[in-house]
Amino acid sequence: PRSPAKTQMLSRSRPLLLPLFLLQPADAAQDAQPHDTVVGPLLRGLVGGAGYGFAAAAISHPFDTIKVRLQSGGAAKAGSASVGGLLSLYRGVGPATAASIVFRAVPFVGYEATRSWLRAHGLLEERPLAAALLGGAVGGAMRGCLETPAELVKTRLQLQSAWSLPLLLRGLSSTVFRNAAMIGLFWAAFEASAPLRSRLPPLAASFVGGGGCSVLAWAAAFPLDTAKSCIQAGGGSTSVVAQLGRIYSERGIAGWYAGLGAGLTRAFLANGGGMAFYSLIQAALTESARPACDASDR
């Protein structure tokens, strides 16, 4: 049985978006309104994930380009002071947007599958942060396996360097490692911040939760992203440890965090804006499902 305080917190902190829908335990899903069964989680994930991914890529791509160029030492090549340089910040936006739209739903699927398996086996029931971290890491690893080719093409286009089919899987392990760490940390922070977010209006809770938790996750795991960018930029070892060692010998600890400002700005705007846009899509899906449910009730 759930205490009244916990029930009230869940009802106040449940915005209309898939990430929080997936965070609910199985018994909480039964408390949903009838129209939630008409617009199922798969449809919510596909439609909402596409909107989330499009919004995130459109908002964040210029910051991502700056981050990648600083990480790989290619900023001087960009000529960003000119109009052409400003337009060049959107180099690689095509594969980035396609990847963002397609792959945003993948971590949610991995997260929910892992949490469901843990609940079914009675594991980590008293450790929700550990369960969230593990679920996010599984989802992140799944996404990393799928998005490595798009990440490589995006990185090469941002640096205005060539790429070829044999290179598409370069950086696979580093992308999987980065995604598992960052998305795992994101979900742990999201779980931990639920009581604070429950005090905000749903749309604000979506923006603050998505943006704030992403900033925390990216700040903690940023060196892994720097190593991944250098690996996919070309040349050198494909080992994360070797790349971090090389960067440290050339630029010190500061080299691990090159582009941090642009990276955190991108994370906050992309994931905050994406979550807010996602919540609007979920609201529209829920509203469109109501007439069908009302008719069936009659």
Side-chain angles (χ1 to χ4, degrees), residues 15 85 121 129 225 254:
H121 292 79
L129 295 185
D225 184 63

Side-chain angles (χ1 to χ4, degrees), residues 41-278:
L42 178 59
L43 179 59
R44 289 180 180 273
L46 292 176
V47 178
Y52 185 120
F54 180 83
I59 293 170
S60 69
H61 194 78
F63 298 99
D64 185 61
T65 299
I66 294 171
K67 173 185 70 68
V68 169
R69 288 172 177 175
L70 290 172
Q71 287 174 326
S72 61
K77 184 179 178 180
S80 59
S82 65
V83 174
L86 291 175
L87 294 177
S88 77
L89 294 180
Y90 279 93
R91 285 183 179 273
V93 70
T97 302
S100 185
I101 290 173
V102 173
F103 301 138
R104 286 289 176 176
V106 172
F108 300 151
V109 173
Y111 177 88
E112 173 61 10
T114 303
R115 293 297 297 266
S116 296
W117 186 87
L118 291 173
R119 286 193 296 268
H121 292 79
L123 300 174
L124 299 179
E125 291 181 340
E126 303 301 322
R127 298 177 181 274
L129 295 185
L133 179 66
L134 179 59
V138 171
M142 290 170 58
R143 174 175 167 174
C145 290
L146 294 176
E147 89 173 328
T148 296
E151 279 285 293
L152 182 131
V153 173
K154 172 184 72 71
T155 298
R156 293 299 180 93
L157 290 175
Q158 287 172 324
L159 297 173
Q160 303 178 40
S161 58
W163 63 274
S164 60
L165 290 178
L167 295 175
L168 287 182
L169 292 181
R170 180 178 175 85
L172 173 62
S173 60
S174 60
T175 304
V176 169
F177 190 23
R178 180 204 67 170
N179 284 6
M182 287 188 175
I183 296 177
L185 291 170
F186 170 85
W187 281 113
F190 206 79
E191 178 87 6
S193 66
L196 294 176
R197 288 183 287 103
S198 68
R199 304 173 186 175
L200 299 173
L203 195 61
S206 298
F207 186 86
V208 171
C213 295
S214 292
V215 166
L216 292 175
W218 273 85
F222 198 79
L224 299 178
D225 184 63
T226 299
K228 193 276 303 182
S229 293
C230 290
I231 289 170
Q232 293 191 317
S237 173
T238 57
S239 164
V240 171
V241 174
Q243 283 289 347
L244 290 176
R246 180 191 63 78
I247 295 168
Y248 178 78
S249 65
E250 294 177 358
R251 293 182 275 170
I253 292 292
W256 292 355
Y257 293 92
L260 179 64
L264 296 187
T265 301
R266 167 190 175 275
F268 182 79
L269 294 176
N271 293 284
M275 280 286 195
F277 196 61
Y278 202 125

